[in-house]
């Protein structure tokens, strides 16, 4: 089957399904699904997969919706998260954030670009591939994963661990403007704590103020930030993002002080590498550090603890998955796509960073609109993404 025949088949089926795709994307936006509150969205996605004739649809213990099409020898895994951040600035929007309104070819609403339109595109892209006869050599999984906004990669990690599935290729459908991201930095959240001695503020000499003891550590953080910034090429970074203290009252010297460091990770900066860095940073001070472990509960009621170390990753530009994605983009759009390294973090920290699975990021829309007032995704980019995903399902790439 040549590229022209593939495109004609995909375009014909896309035309048949385009109204349904838009209607589904609108319903997703109209269905609130904040992190760990995705139950209604999960039910909507499950029903849509069943309606479209997926061979298998299930909701796992964590709350991810997993659909399967085909049973070919090569396994392709599309992942989009179904949760969104909340809206705290509704008065600044020109449209209802949960209205799913369409204006001038743009679909507006919270999560439109991050990432309900990409999710809808992946769900329909797999269906198009099936109807076009492009999936005979491929087992296609479409994942609507939970709780990504607060817990990057955790729901996908739980699914891959429990299922044992190891796809031959992973497409994270986050918005890239239909460019192909071949990697991105990781991140770690680190807490540094200093103990002092509390006392009444009228006699501060009776205590030991931990905030003052923290000054030396903060100075070292700034020095480390400069060292990282001076490195050539791809590099990590560190920023102090929170500071707090434990105190009996506003007229008491605190007992403890803590800071949170956001440490962005370059490829090769492992947990042991960062541990050694933090040991050096706190050496000779009163500080004790730890990677943040955050307990929470998924919408299904499953308890988990999120370990805040998410590795960076990169796939070679000549990898067969990258080349196949380039071919799919060229087939659909008649132009060669741009390859780039992404700045934002995605569930790729799990698929590529932890499980070392071949992974790319490729999705519709402008990521700079994510979490913003009047967030939108163009309908045409959603259509194009769906068509590209269908072409990528051909399965002759692995």
């Amino acid at each position: 089957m040549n590229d022209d025949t593939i495109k004609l088949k995909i375009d014909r089926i896309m035309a048949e399904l385009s109204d349904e795709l838009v209607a589904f994307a609108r319903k997703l936006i109209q269905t609130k699904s904040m992190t760990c509150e995705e139950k209604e969205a999960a039910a909507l996605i499950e029903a849509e997969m069943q309606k479209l004739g997926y061979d298998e649809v299930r909701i796992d213990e964590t709350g991810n919706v997993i659909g399967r099409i085909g049973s070919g020898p090569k396994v392709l895994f599309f992942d989009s998260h179904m949760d969104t951040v909340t809206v705290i600035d509704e008065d600044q929007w020109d449209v209802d954030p949960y209205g799913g309104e369409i204006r001038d070819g743009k679909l507006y609403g919270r999560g439109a670009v991050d990432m309900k339109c990409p999710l809808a595109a992946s769900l329909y892209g797999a269906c198009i591939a099936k109807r076009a006869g492009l999936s005979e050599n491929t087992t296609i999984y479409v994942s609507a994963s939970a709780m990504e906004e607060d817990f990057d990669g955790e729901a996908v990690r739980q699914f891959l661990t429990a299922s044992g599935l190891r796809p031959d290729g992973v497409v994270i459908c986050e918005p890239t403007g239909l460019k192909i991201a071949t990697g991105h930095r990781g991140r770690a959240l680190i807490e540094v704590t200093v103990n002092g001695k509390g006392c009444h503020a009228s006699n501060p000499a009776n205590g030991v103020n931990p905030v003052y003891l923290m000054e030396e550590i903060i100075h070292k953080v700034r020095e480390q930030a400069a060292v990282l910034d001076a490195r050539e090429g791809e590099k990590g970074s560190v920023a102090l993002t929170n500071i707090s203290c434990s105190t009996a009252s506003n007229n008491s010297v605190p007992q403890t002080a803590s800071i949170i460091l956001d440490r962005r990770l370059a490829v090769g900066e492992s947990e042991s590498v960062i541990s050694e860095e933090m040991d050096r940073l706190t050496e000779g001070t009163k500080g004790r550090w730890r990677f943040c472990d955050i307990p929470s509960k998924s919408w299904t009621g499953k308890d988990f603890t999120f370990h805040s170390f998410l590795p960076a990753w990169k796939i070679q530009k000549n990898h067969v998955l990258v080349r196949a994605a380039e071919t799919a983009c060229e087939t659909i759009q008649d132009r060669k796509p741009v390859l780039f390294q992404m700045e934002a973090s995605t569930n790729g920290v799990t698929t590529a960073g932890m499980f070392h699975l071949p992974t790319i990021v490729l999705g519709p829309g402008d990521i700079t609109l994510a979490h913003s007032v009047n967030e939108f995704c163009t309908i045409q980019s959603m259509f194009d993404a769906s068509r590209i995903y269908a072409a990528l399902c051909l399965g002759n790439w692995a």
Side-chain angles (χ1 to χ4, degrees):
M1 193 182 300
N2 62 41
D3 290 350
D4 289 340
T5 302
I6 293 170
K7 184 176 182 180
L8 285 171
K9 283 191 170 187
I10 290 172
D11 287 351
R12 175 179 58 79
I13 299 167
M14 181 79 260
E16 295 171 357
L17 292 176
S18 59
D19 289 346
E20 293 179 45
L21 171 52
V22 173
F24 174 62
R26 292 188 68 201
K27 286 180 184 176
L28 273 178
I29 292 169
Q30 291 162 357
T31 305
K32 293 182 181 181
S33 56
M34 273 67 82
T35 302
C36 297
E37 299 175 8
E38 303 99 337
K39 181 178 181 178
E40 290 185 22
L44 179 65
I45 293 161
E46 180 187 34
E48 195 75 6
M49 287 179 171
Q50 291 170 340
K51 184 192 84 172
L52 290 173
Y54 274 62
D55 298 325
E56 178 188 7
V57 183
R58 62 191 176 95
I59 297 177
D60 70 6
E61 184 182 8
T62 303
N64 304 304
V65 187
I66 307 295
R68 178 183 61 82
I69 286 176
S71 55
K74 301 302 179 184
V75 179
L76 184 60
F77 184 84
F78 293 94
D79 175 70
S80 306
H81 64 83
M82 59 182 160
D83 63 316
T84 72
V85 297
T86 191
V87 175
I88 59 172
D89 49 12
E90 188 169 353
D91 60 320
Q92 299 178 37
W93 286 64
D94 297 325
V95 296
D96 179 354
Y98 299 104
E101 186 173 333
I102 297 173
R103 293 185 182 181
D104 300 322
K106 301 171 182 176
L107 179 50
Y108 285 86
R110 172 56 76 230
V113 77
D114 187 19
M115 55 179 303
K116 292 185 173 181
C117 287
L119 192 162
S122 68
L123 195 150
Y124 272 74
C127 172
I128 292 169
K130 179 179 181 178
R131 296 190 186 186
L134 303 178
S135 59
E136 294 178 358
N137 296 321
T138 312
T139 301
I140 307 164
Y141 284 92
V142 175
S143 161
S145 53
M147 60 197 192
E148 186 270 354
E149 290 291 0
D150 289 349
F151 307 107
D152 311 35
E154 178 62 22
V156 173
R157 185 194 67 78
Q158 291 185 26
F159 168 71
L160 293 176
T161 299
S163 68
L165 182 70
R166 298 296 181 267
D168 298 293
V170 176
V171 181
I172 307 294
C173 303
E174 293 271 10
T176 62
L178 297 179
K179 298 182 288 184
I180 299 171
T182 56
H184 59 63
R185 293 196 299 177
R187 69 180 179 90
L189 282 184
I190 299 164
E191 181 182 49
V192 183
T193 300
V194 172
N195 291 324
K197 179 183 176 183
C199 69
H200 198 284
S202 63
N203 293 290
N206 292 336
V208 178
N209 196 316
V211 177
Y212 299 159
L213 297 178
M214 187 68 78
E215 287 183 293
E216 180 182 3
I217 295 171
I218 293 173
H219 178 72
K220 287 189 171 186
V221 170
R222 297 180 68 176
E223 289 183 332
Q224 179 64 14
V227 169
L228 293 171
D229 189 54
R231 290 179 180 173
E232 298 293 329
E234 296 176 22
K235 55 195 174 185
S237 62
V238 63
L240 193 162
T241 57
N242 200 347
I243 185 166
S244 61
C245 60
S246 174
T247 185
S249 70
N250 287 335
N251 59 2
S252 299
V253 170
Q255 294 178 333
T256 63
S258 297
I259 59 173
I260 299 294
L261 304 179
D262 181 310
R263 178 62 163 86
R264 297 290 158 153
L265 308 171
V267 173
E269 291 188 321
S270 65
E271 197 159 341
S272 61
V273 168
I274 301 304
S275 295
E276 291 173 3
E277 178 183 298
M278 293 308 303
D279 285 343
R280 291 193 300 271
L281 189 145
T282 55
E283 185 178 8
T285 75
K286 299 292 186 180
R288 295 176 291 107
W289 71 271
R290 67 177 184 91
F291 292 111
C292 294
D293 288 329
I294 305 170
S296 192
K297 187 188 298 286
S298 76
W299 72 262
T300 60
K302 182 178 181 180
D303 293 309
F304 66 93
T305 299
F306 176 64
H307 181 57
S308 298
F309 189 92
L310 310 172
W313 62 275
K314 180 188 291 188
I315 188 172
Q316 295 300 312
K317 294 181 180 179
N318 63 352
H319 191 280
V320 288
L321 177 60
V322 178
R323 295 204 307 267
E326 288 182 290
T327 299
C329 290
E330 289 183 73
T331 298
I332 298 304
Q333 295 189 300
D334 297 320
R335 58 181 172 82
K336 193 174 181 65
V338 174
L339 304 184
F340 75 110
Q341 287 291 111
M342 196 172 188
E343 288 296 322
S345 179
T346 75
N347 280 342
V349 296
T350 289
T351 60
M354 297 179 189
F355 285 82
H356 309 295
L357 301 171
T359 298
I360 59 171
V361 187
L362 169 63
D366 181 354
I367 197 170
T368 64
L369 299 173
H371 304 186
S372 69
V373 172
N374 297 326
E375 179 182 351
F376 71 84
C377 183
T378 66
I379 291 173
Q380 187 59 54
S381 68
M382 180 172 64
F383 288 167
D384 288 345
S386 195
R387 293 157 68 220
I388 289 168
Y389 298 153
L392 188 53
C393 289
L394 186 58
N396 58 357
W397 49 268

